[in-house]
Amino acid sequence: MKLKEKLREFTQLKKGLLATNYYDLETLHGVLQAAADTKQPVILQLTQSSIEYMGLKTAVNLGRNGLEEFGVEGWIHLDHGGSVELVQRCLDAGFDSVMIDGSELPFDENVRVTREVVARAKRYDVHVEAELGYVAKLGQSHDSTGFTQPDEASAFVEQTGVDALAVAIGTAHGFYKQEPKLDIDLLRRIAEKTAATLVLHGSSGVPHDQVQQAIYHGVCKVNLATEIKNIFMASLKNELTHNDEIDLRKVFPKATCKITELVRTKLEMVANVPVFS
């Protein structure tokens, strides 16, 4: 099934589709084992830095082969594409979905760049995500001045033809200094204004009930990255501190299992959303 169709189906069912970043074989296998265990679909995401680290062809083949090996329904997505050139490389490499992130550009420039990506992706029948509003990145302020506004979201989707829109409703990339509080009322009003799939970036550290409320009121795609990196590295550091093993094939799997445990809870969270008022 095409990603666009799956997102439309899950939105109607008020279920979330988890989108997880992977950085190497270990993080990929940790995610896919969880998806196989729960029999849930998953979006595998690559950022520019991960593509540069692994190489584009290697990264894509790793994801494709992993999906097949684990018997998981999934798609490969470019996360936070920073340029049309990178998007084009990913389109040529066979990505199922691409994101162009013009969120820090003026509205009109964001529209222009996104519209160009949508036109290019259409020739490949590839799903396109964009971002509107201020979802704080690492080191940036977490204030609410840049939250996505419903009328702007409506105009942006209409002018660009984008399939999915990442919205700013109180999340941030990286860990939070205090518990975030998502603006669910704002999300509800955004959802009423646009038919585009709504995306929640920065779910790491957000309480599960808030993520589920967001799904119930319009979000479908839920991104997860920081917690994956953190639990892998914390587990690996702990393992290395307590033994002198030099065979990485014996050490890495223990940290990979921690990713599987984490992602399994996240997949269950997005698949089993209770009714909210």
Side-chain angles (χ1 to χ4, degrees), residues 5 7 33 38 70 83 86 102 120 148 221 235 240 257:
E5 297 169 356
L7 289 167
Q33 186 62 61
T38 58
F70 282 82
S83 68
L86 175 60
R120 290 180 181 228
T148 307
K221 180 173 178 279
S235 301
L240 292 172
C257 285

Side-chain angles (χ1 to χ4, degrees), residues 146-158:
F147 280 13
T148 307
Q149 297 306 305
D151 288 339
E152 279 200 342
S154 176
F156 185 84
V157 171
E158 183 177 345

Side-chain angles (χ1 to χ4, degrees), residues 80 131 134-144 147 167-182 199-206 223-227:
H80 288 289
E131 184 172 317
Y134 178 77
V135 182
K137 295 180 173 63
L138 292 175
Q140 293 180 330
S141 170
H142 290 197
D143 64 46
S144 62
F147 280 13
V167 293
I169 58 168
T171 57
H173 298 95
F175 283 123
Y176 298 89
K177 295 180 180 178
Q178 58 188 24
E179 183 177 302
K181 183 173 177 55
L182 305 189
V199 182
L200 187 71
H201 282 220
S203 78
S204 291
V206 178
N223 284 22
L224 179 72
T226 300
E227 282 187 84

